[in-house]
Amino acid sequence: MRTEDLHSLTGAYALHALLDDEREAFERHLAGCATCEQEAREFAAATARLGLAATVVPAPALRDRVLHRVTTVRQVPPGGGTAEKARRVVPRGRGLARWALAACVAAAAGLGGTAVWQYERAQDAGQRAAQAERRAETLAGVLAAPDAESRTARLAAGASGTLVVSERQDRAVFLASGMAEPPRGKVYQLWFDDHGTMRSAGLMDPGSTSQAVLMDGAVDGAAGVGITVEPAGGSKQPTSDPIALLSVPA
């Protein structure tokens, strides 16, 4: 593939639209072309911003219908079979214990225990869904804000990170592209740098290499943002050196 052709692939690369051989050729080219590297990072950041800004939030009525159905639909037995079918596959030695357990579950259901449990689970799920909706709306609002400013930095192993800040909303979003998964039992944690004092700004999804994260809390005049590798669940203060530092765009 000619070099001039490779220069034209930055957009397709950012959208993960290249065939394997094209991607490999472009990544070899990327290692020695600062212009294409910068352009690919900017395309990746713009793509994430546009996608999230166009996110459609489900109507509240849909959530209410789902929560109502959770409390009324019976759970299907494992395998979807009848009691007779279940009896045939239970090992002889443990049949009595399993049927005793089944009888207890049936009694609890008859007394309304299962319905109460389902209702409580539905409430928990509804609260989590509402929180996720609010975070998604805030995240999209930051990315689409008229005063949004961004700063992109190259991370390890060809990954990139973009910090987007809306001064008017006093909120920030971190966009990651191509980050390696953290070591087992670890997580990436974001921090606001309050002029030398690190303030936790939330955790990244350890199972996703490309993601958009609404940072916890207000920017509140922070000078920069750092990323560290922390134990699962995060830390109150950084326990490792930052793997990346980005200054807050002016």
Side-chain angles (χ1 to χ4, degrees):
M1 185 176 292
R2 298 177 305 174
T3 301
E4 47 270 36
D5 293 332
L6 290 169
H7 285 307
S8 67
L9 296 181
T10 51
Y13 178 75
L15 292 170
H16 305 285
L18 296 178
L19 298 175
D20 288 344
D21 57 340
E22 293 175 329
R23 177 178 52 78
E24 291 171 1
F26 181 76
E27 287 179 344
R28 288 194 297 270
H29 166 74
L30 201 61
C33 181
T35 300
C36 284
E37 179 188 357
Q38 177 67 22
E39 192 171 277
R41 287 202 306 264
E42 291 174 351
F43 269 129
T47 300
R49 291 179 65 179
L50 288 172
L52 288 166
T55 299
V56 177
V57 178
L62 177 61
R63 173 175 170 270
D64 293 339
R65 289 198 299 271
V66 171
L67 294 181
H68 174 70
R69 291 291 294 166
V70 167
T71 64
T72 59
V73 177
R74 290 186 59 190
Q75 182 177 353
V76 177
T82 62
E84 181 61 32
K85 180 180 177 181
R87 187 179 298 112
R88 289 199 299 269
V89 300
V90 173
R92 182 182 299 274
R94 290 185 289 175
L96 180 60
R98 292 195 178 186
W99 281 111
L101 177 60
C104 292
V105 172
L111 294 173
T114 298
V116 172
W117 176 81
Q118 287 179 333
Y119 178 72
E120 291 175 347
R121 287 292 297 272
Q123 282 190 317
D124 292 342
Q127 291 170 356
R128 289 194 297 271
Q131 291 172 354
E133 276 187 17
R134 289 193 294 269
R135 288 186 69 84
E137 289 174 353
T138 303
L139 187 152
V142 172
L143 296 178
D147 68 332
E149 298 286 346
S150 65
R151 176 150 297 166
T152 300
R154 184 175 181 178
L155 307 179
S160 66
T162 299
L163 177 65
V164 182
V165 176
S166 168
E167 183 178 1
R168 185 178 304 170
Q169 297 183 32
D170 202 20
R171 298 301 300 268
V173 169
F174 181 73
L175 304 169
S177 177
M179 286 187 70
E181 291 188 9
R184 187 178 182 85
K186 300 287 185 178
V187 67
Y188 292 122
Q189 186 163 354
L190 297 166
W191 306 87
F192 282 119
D193 178 7
D194 292 333
H195 303 278
T197 300
M198 304 304 283
R199 168 169 49 99
S200 178
L203 306 178
M204 298 178 65
D205 180 356
S208 180
T209 59
S210 297
Q211 56 189 291
V213 183
L214 175 65
M215 299 181 66
D216 292 345
V219 178
D220 196 24
V225 165
I227 309 170
T228 62
V229 179
E230 302 294 336
S235 304
K236 292 183 178 180
Q237 292 296 324
T239 62
S240 64
D241 293 332
I243 62 171
L245 288 169
L246 293 84
S247 57
V248 172

